[in-house]
Amino acid sequence: MHTISQVLGDDHQRCDSLFAEAETAVAQGDWLTGESAFNAFHDALEHHFRMEEEVMFPEYEARTGQTMGPTRVMRMEHGQMRQLKEDMATAITARDRDRYLGLSETLLIVMQQHNAKEEQMLYPMADRALQDSMEQVLSQMDAV
Amino acid sequence: MLFPGNLSLDQAPPISVPFRFLLSAPLFGVLAGLLLALQGPALLAGRWTPGVLAFTHLITLGLVTQAMCGALLQMLPVLAGTRVLGAVAVGRVTHLLLGGGTLALAIGFLADGGPWSLAAAALLGSAFLVFVTALGWGLARAGSANPTVVAMRLAVIALAVTATLGVGLALFWGGIPGLLFLRSLTDVHLAWGLLGWVGLLVLGVAYQALPMFQLTPEYPLRLRRHLTTALFALLLLWSVLYRLAAAERIPSALPVSAAATAGAALLLFAAFTVRLQKRRRRPLPDAGLAWWRLGLAGLAIAVTLWLAGRVWPGFAAHPAYPLWLGGSYLLGFAVPILNGMMIKIVPFLAWFHLQNRQLALGRVEVSVPNLRELLPERTTRWQLRIYVAGLGLLALAPLWPALASRPAGLALAASWGLLGFGLGRAARRYRRVNRQLLAPAAGEIPAA
């Protein structure tokens, strides 16, 4: 049976790969590849956030009664990453290589710290809390 | 289940705690470089010259330990899910005592002992008492014992051993009678400091930092679980065997084989790290990665030199040998890894605190500078080039002291000066933007 750790953890990997692809292309000055890889990364990350914010976090909060705990911090960090992501989109449009690379390095560190917290703590906790409704939660996330 | 505190933003200490350490660390490097430039050939005349001792301790205590203390106080909540009780006070007191003690110790070496060494013993002894107690308390309470937390615990124990022996040696140097026996423990002091305190912490942090910043695969779980513990056990074993061999109760081959096993463990770490970096998913060249590469090469050279010295005693007897060995470990391995860490952590903390403040105050019109705007890649690249030039000159200096020692000192001082300048500029930028965020917005009436 699949778990939240597997599904969302694998999705982190997918986002990371797209991120690296975009960053490499921009660093090499290949704006065409860079832009399409960035757009793919942008959408993948947004999709990932929505799977969590629209399905997984509310289910977890309803089950544990914790709304001010880890999910609140995760939502705040999503906000930080969204802002960096939008700034990167502007830098792509402006073909501003230095600004893009500065922003992408910043996003990388925030994103990796965030992922580590989720993969090491929140997802395993959610796997336990949502054990008996796992199929349903996963199919709801799949539909986002 | 208790949720580890590291998901709460207010667990991170105020930025002043890590900054005071990380910003003063390069200054001690500059002092060390200038000392070498000033004394030149005299400093490098042997392993035990007052100049070498002062230089070494300006680096180990001033540059390396300052940076490691600042980073530990910052990282404990993030990596270990625990906090340091009274982190602000602990940071302030440790920083002052450590800085003052380091200067007193360096002066003590140069002025041939006396009251300066006694003052250094008192200052450094209190600094480490405060720091080890505070860190130990936090680490003992860490919710999860992941391999990084285990490495941090062992590193802090190693710091306590190093500091105890070091304070004893400083007291002896200061003229306290009856401590002559400690001289025979100098190598034990050195091994616990370099392999224990510095080595164990570098390993533990690498387990987290490499996958995070360079998108490498994880270190294998078995390596993460066992390598630091094995190194610590080998260090302990070596210390006992070393004493027994010194008393001629066992053959000296026994401590040598314990040390050789520790050397092999370090080589294993370096080899795995290079392999992981080859498989990283982020191919972008980056200054942090370059510092890591330099550090790993330094580690491999240091271990190889040590082994070569055991195989060819004639090589080990050469006056240049101890300088090369110590230099390659300290300046080739430890300092570059820490340098690579400092150039990431200082701009990231500045960004992190500014961004949180911006979100909390809703001041979206104030733009928060990103990592490379805070510390330009250009600065770190030049700093690296100058450092590598300094290292090259330093490697030649034991052979051609008159020619190479002063330029080596100048290049190292210049590189650390540039590091201090870059980090200082990031900190000033932080303060400026922070003031803008806190200032009342245009057209807004400040609350009474």
Side-chain angles (χ1 to χ4, degrees):
Chain A
M1 198 179 90
H2 285 295
T3 59
I4 286 170
S5 291
Q6 283 165 0
V7 171
L8 290 178
D10 286 352
D11 203 46
H12 280 164
Q13 300 267 321
R14 186 173 77 95
C15 292
D16 286 352
S17 300
L18 293 167
F19 166 89
E21 204 181 305
E23 193 186 43
T24 311
V26 171
Q28 290 164 349
D30 181 355
W31 288 105
L32 239 59
T33 315
E35 187 157 21
S36 70
F38 174 77
N39 287 337
F41 164 70
H42 184 287
D43 296 346
L45 192 63
E46 193 53 43
H47 179 251
H48 181 87
F49 289 166
R50 286 180 48 216
M51 285 197 288
E52 294 180 339
E53 291 171 358
E54 290 171 18
V55 182
M56 199 278 263
F57 292 175
E59 291 284 340
Y60 176 82
E61 286 163 354
R63 188 62 64 96
T64 60
Q66 281 190 336
T67 53
M68 295 306 286
T71 47
R72 184 183 67 99
V73 182
M74 293 300 114
R75 282 198 174 91
M76 249 159 68
E77 292 185 354
H78 287 177
Q80 286 184 319
M81 288 187 273
R82 280 195 172 106
Q83 190 180 331
L84 284 166
K85 193 158 61 83
E86 293 319 314
D87 290 348
M88 284 160 78
T90 316
I92 282 262
T93 317
R95 299 287 188 258
D96 188 340
R97 178 175 173 276
D98 286 349
R99 179 148 175 83
Y100 182 89
L101 294 179
L103 289 164
S104 80
E105 185 163 338
T106 314
L107 177 65
L108 175 70
I109 299 182
V110 184
M111 191 164 73
Q112 294 308 315
Q113 289 203 348
H114 176 81
N115 292 357
K117 290 176 199 170
E118 288 188 337
E119 288 168 25
Q120 286 165 25
M121 286 171 285
L122 183 60
Y123 295 166
M125 284 161 59
D127 282 338
R128 279 192 296 276
L130 303 173
Q131 215 165 13
D132 38 337
S133 56
M134 189 61 74
E135 296 281 346
Q136 184 210 333
V137 175
L138 289 178
S139 69
Q140 276 180 321
M141 288 198 317
D142 207 33
V144 168
Chain B
M1 178 187 157
L2 195 105
F3 200 83
N6 60 345
L7 292 193
S8 161
L9 294 172
D10 43 84
Q11 286 265 347
I15 201 166
S16 66
V17 175
F19 264 23
R20 68 176 69 241
F21 289 96
L22 296 167
L23 295 175
S24 42
L27 300 180
F28 289 95
V30 172
L31 281 181
L34 291 180
L35 178 67
L36 174 57
L38 207 69
Q39 291 206 339
L43 188 143
L44 294 173
R47 182 185 167 184
W48 301 112
T49 69
V52 159
L53 292 171
F55 177 89
T56 309
H57 286 84
L58 282 171
I59 302 288
T60 51
L61 286 170
L63 182 61
V64 170
T65 300
Q66 285 272 352
M68 280 171 41
C69 288
L72 264 177
L73 286 171
Q74 170 63 37
M75 288 187 308
L76 214 61
V78 183
L79 297 185
T82 182
R83 61 189 302 173
V84 178
L85 196 67
V88 176
V90 167
R92 198 171 288 164
V93 169
T94 308
H95 176 253
L96 272 178
L97 293 171
L98 177 60
T102 305
L103 292 177
L105 189 69
I107 297 171
F109 283 128
L110 297 171
D112 204 15
W116 285 104
S117 297
L118 297 180
L123 291 168
L124 293 170
S126 342
F128 290 126
L129 194 64
V130 171
F131 186 76
V132 169
T133 309
L135 259 280
W137 187 84
L139 282 167
R141 287 169 38 102
S144 63
N146 65 50
T148 298
V149 173
V150 172
M152 283 178 171
R153 282 182 187 150
L154 298 175
V156 169
I157 295 172
L159 173 65
V161 175
T162 313
T164 307
L165 289 171
V167 166
L169 284 162
L171 289 174
F172 164 70
W173 199 268
I176 302 282
L179 294 173
L180 183 67
F181 72 97
L182 280 173
R183 276 206 87 152
S184 64
L185 292 178
T186 306
D187 279 350
V188 178
H189 163 70
L190 191 144
W192 281 86
L194 292 181
L195 263 72
W197 166 230
V198 178
L200 291 171
L201 196 67
V202 168
L203 262 61
V205 171
Y207 298 161
Q208 299 271 348
L210 247 72
M212 207 177 262
F213 297 145
Q214 299 172 10
L215 294 187
T216 67
E218 297 272 353
Y219 284 87
L221 188 62
R222 274 174 62 191
L223 182 129
R224 275 185 283 158
R225 281 224 180 109
H226 303 304
L227 195 62
T228 49
T229 321
L231 258 179
F232 186 86
L234 284 165
L235 202 54
L236 209 59
L237 178 68
W238 171 82
S239 307
V240 175
L241 296 176
Y242 175 83
R243 287 301 300 147
L244 290 173
E248 298 192 335
R249 289 169 52 192
I250 56 166
S252 66
L254 287 173
V256 168
S257 39
T261 316
L266 287 174
L267 280 183
L268 187 73
F269 167 75
F272 261 103
T273 308
V274 171
R275 214 177 71 137
L276 290 177
Q277 286 179 336
K278 283 221 170 94
R279 290 164 54 205
R280 72 191 196 279
R281 282 175 297 149
R282 186 185 185 221
L284 191 72
D286 149 284
L289 183 69
W291 281 107
W292 265 93
R293 287 253 161 93
L294 175 63
L296 293 171
L299 179 60
I301 291 173
V303 175
T304 311
L305 276 176
W306 185 85
L307 289 170
R310 305 286 81 73
V311 177
W312 296 292
F315 179 46
H318 193 281
Y321 178 77
L323 297 172
W324 278 337
L325 181 61
S328 56
Y329 188 89
L330 188 59
L331 297 175
F333 164 57
V335 171
I337 301 280
L338 282 166
N339 202 314
M341 188 200 72
M342 283 193 278
I343 58 169
K344 296 287 171 198
I345 200 170
V346 166
F348 177 70
L349 287 177
W351 177 86
F352 177 79
H353 283 265
L354 289 174
Q355 169 84 9
N356 282 336
R357 178 144 283 160
Q358 188 196 39
L359 280 180
L361 298 173
R363 298 288 305 265
V364 286
E365 80 285 2
V366 178
S367 99
V368 170
N370 66 53
L371 263 52
R372 290 188 186 200
E373 287 163 347
L374 285 157
L375 182 55
E377 184 88 345
R378 215 175 39 251
T379 311
T380 54
R381 292 213 172 274
W382 273 108
Q383 197 230 325
L384 176 65
R385 288 188 194 115
I386 300 169
Y387 189 77
V388 171
L391 272 189
L393 287 165
L394 193 68
L396 299 177
L399 299 178
W400 294 286
L403 212 63
S405 58
R406 290 185 205 276
L410 283 178
L412 291 174
S415 172
W416 287 319
L418 192 56
L419 174 67
F421 170 76
L423 301 183
R425 198 173 51 182
R428 283 198 303 279
R429 184 97 193 256
Y430 163 81
R431 278 196 284 272
R432 203 167 63 227
V433 177
N434 193 40
R435 272 200 303 273
Q436 287 171 4
L437 284 168
L438 291 173
E444 184 189 308
I445 300 159

